[in-house]
Amino acid sequence: MRLVGPAGEQVGVVRIEDALRLAAESDLDLVEVAPQAKPPVCKLMDFGKYKYEAAVKAREARKNQTNTVLKEIRFRLKIDTHDYETKRGHALRFLAAGDKVKAMIQFRGREQQRPEMGIRLLQKFAEDVSEVGVVESSPRIDGRNMVMVIGPLKNKAEAKAEARRASQRAEAKAANEAAKKGEAPARVDTSADKAPMTQSLADLLPDGLRLGSSAAEADKARAEQEQAEKAKAAQAAKAAADKAAADARRAEEAAKAAAAKPAQAAKPAAAPAAAKPAEAPKPMAVPKPTAVKPSAPKPAARPKPAAAPKPAGKAPASGAGQKKPGTAE
C-alpha cells in the first residue's frame, strides 16, 4: 500500500507490517483514506483530532447556513396610499433581511375583468422595491388572485454580515462622538502645577455643590475627631480608675500585714512548765434551791371482791380423779 506521512509527505509503497510499525513508533493511527486506489492509500494521523476538527467544521457550516423564507404581502386593487406605503415598508424590510417576497392582489366581483390594473399596480410595486430586490416571477393570474415573486439582491448570510458591520460602525461612531464632546476620560496631566488627583466624588460636582459637599465633609471630619477624643478621654478615665482601685487594694493588703505583725510580737514566749504559777482554786458552785411541791394524798385501795366458789362438777370416773398415795397435791 501507499503510505502518506502526517504532514502530507509521500513515504512510498510499504508493507502493512512496516506501516503499522511506523504508526506505533510515532504514536499515531494508520487510517485508510483511499481504499479504491491501487495500491490503496493510507495516512499516518491522529484520528481523534481529525474527528474533532471535522465536527467543528460541520458546526460552523450549520451556523452559517441560512434558509430563505417566502414572505407574502396581500393587496387590494383599490388600496389606499397610506396602506400601500405600509406594505412597501414591510417588503423592503423582508428583502433587506434576505427573504423573498410574494406580492398578491385579490380581485373581487367585476374587478376580475380589469387585470391590467393589477399588472400596473404590481409593476409600480416592483419599481418601488428595486433598490433591494429584483423580480423573479412576472405577474400571473392564479384563480382570483394575481401573484408576483420578488427576490433579494443579497442572500441572507450577506445581509446578516452587513447588518453586523452596520451595527459595529454605529457603535464606533457613537463612541467617537462621545469622545469629541468630552465625555470620554481625558489624558492625565502629571505636571507639578496641577493639584493631585483624588478618589473623591466631590471633584466631579459643580462649584456650588462642591462647597456644600466640602462643608459636609468638614463637619463629618470634626464629628469623627470629637468622637475619637471622647473615646480617648473615656479610656484614660477608665485607666485612672483601674489604677486607683489597684492602689487601694495594695494599701489594704499592706495595712492587714502591718496589723498582723505587732500581735505576733506582743505574744510572750512560752515559760517552762515548772515556773508556771499555781492556778487559784475555783469557787464551788452554790446549789440552786429547789421548790418542793406538796404531794397530793393517794386514794385508798379498794378491797378486791372475793372469788365466787366454782360449781361442783361431775364425779370423776373411777380411777381417773383418785390420787395416788404419797403424791403431793
Side-chain angles (χ1 to χ4, degrees), residues 205-285:
L205 297 175
D207 295 338
L209 297 178
R210 192 178 302 174
L211 295 175
S213 63
S214 61
E217 290 180 357
D219 295 340
K220 185 177 179 181
R222 193 180 303 107
E224 291 179 355
Q225 186 176 1
E226 291 177 358
Q227 290 180 359
E229 291 177 357
K230 288 181 180 180
K232 288 182 180 179
Q235 291 179 359
K238 186 178 179 181
D242 294 343
K243 186 177 180 182
D247 293 342
R249 197 181 304 111
R250 284 196 296 269
E252 186 179 356
E253 292 177 356
K256 287 182 179 180
K261 284 181 181 180
Q264 293 178 358
K267 191 175 182 180
K276 245 183 192 181
E279 295 180 357
K282 293 182 179 180
M284 295 179 65

Side-chain angles (χ1 to χ4, degrees), residues 16 76 89 99 103 155 162 181 200 217 321 323 325:
I16 297 179
R76 290 294 303 277
D99 296 326
N155 56 22
E162 186 175 355
K181 290 180 181 179
S200 175
E217 290 180 357
K323 294 183 181 178

Side-chain angles (χ1 to χ4, degrees), residues 11-68:
V11 178
V13 179
V14 297
R15 297 183 304 168
I16 297 179
E17 294 80 4
D18 297 338
L20 292 174
R21 179 178 53 79
L22 291 173
E25 290 176 356
S26 57
D27 196 13
L28 295 174
D29 300 321
L30 183 65
V31 182
E32 189 177 20
V33 294
Q36 273 71 22
K38 292 187 179 180
V41 181
C42 295
K43 185 177 181 180
L44 296 173
M45 67 171 68
D46 188 351
F47 192 61
K49 182 178 179 181
Y50 170 76
K51 289 177 65 177
Y52 173 75
E53 291 177 352
V56 170
K57 289 181 181 179
R59 187 160 57 249
E60 292 294 333
R62 286 194 301 270
K63 185 186 298 184
N64 296 329
Q65 184 179 2
T66 56
N67 297 322
T68 303

Side-chain angles (χ1 to χ4, degrees), residues 47-321:
F47 192 61
K49 182 178 179 181
Y50 170 76
K51 289 177 65 177
Y52 173 75
E53 291 177 352
V56 170
K57 289 181 181 179
R59 187 160 57 249
E60 292 294 333
R62 286 194 301 270
K63 185 186 298 184
N64 296 329
Q65 184 179 2
T66 56
N67 297 322
T68 303
V69 182
L70 182 62
K71 304 288 186 176
E72 184 174 337
I73 295 179
R74 296 187 178 184
F75 297 97
R76 290 294 303 277
L77 193 60
K78 298 178 181 179
I79 188 171
D80 190 61
T81 305
H82 181 270
D83 296 339
Y84 175 80
E85 293 297 331
T86 303
K87 300 288 185 180
R88 175 176 171 273
H90 293 337
L92 290 174
R93 188 175 70 253
F94 295 151
L95 292 172
D99 296 326
K100 293 183 180 181
V101 174
K102 178 181 179 182
M104 178 185 298
I105 296 179
Q106 299 174 340
F107 293 97
R108 287 187 179 183
R110 285 180 287 181
E111 292 177 353
Q112 300 180 17
Q113 300 175 5
R114 307 294 298 271
E116 64 275 6
M117 296 179 63
I119 293 174
R120 286 198 297 269
L121 181 60
L122 290 178
Q123 289 178 350
K124 180 176 182 294
F125 180 74
E127 292 176 359
D128 292 340
V129 298
S130 60
E131 57 183 7
V132 291
V134 62
V135 177
E136 292 186 354
S137 175
S138 58
R140 67 180 187 277
I141 298 294
D142 184 10
R144 299 178 63 178
N145 301 327
M146 183 173 289
V147 180
M148 181 182 65
V149 178
I150 301 175
L153 295 177
K154 299 177 182 179
N155 56 22
K156 205 161 190 176
E158 294 177 356
K160 285 185 177 180
E162 186 175 355
R164 193 182 305 113
R165 288 193 295 269
S167 63
Q168 292 176 357
R169 285 195 297 269
E171 291 177 0
K173 184 178 180 180
N176 293 334
E177 290 179 356
K180 288 180 180 178
K181 290 180 181 179
E183 297 179 1
R187 184 175 298 178
V188 178
D189 190 2
T190 57
S191 60
D193 298 336
K194 300 292 182 179
M197 293 183 62
T198 62
Q199 296 181 354
S200 175
L201 294 176
D203 297 339
L204 303 178
L205 297 175
D207 295 338
L209 297 178
R210 192 178 302 174
L211 295 175
S213 63
S214 61
E217 290 180 357
D219 295 340
K220 185 177 179 181
R222 193 180 303 107
E224 291 179 355
Q225 186 176 1
E226 291 177 358
Q227 290 180 359
E229 291 177 357
K230 288 181 180 180
K232 288 182 180 179
Q235 291 179 359
K238 186 178 179 181
D242 294 343
K243 186 177 180 182
D247 293 342
R249 197 181 304 111
R250 284 196 296 269
E252 186 179 356
E253 292 177 356
K256 287 182 179 180
K261 284 181 181 180
Q264 293 178 358
K267 191 175 182 180
K276 245 183 192 181
E279 295 180 357
K282 293 182 179 180
M284 295 179 65
V286 179
K288 292 181 180 181
T290 58
V292 180
K293 293 182 179 181
S295 59
K298 293 183 179 181
R302 294 179 182 179
K304 293 182 180 182
K310 293 182 181 182
K314 295 181 179 181
S318 58

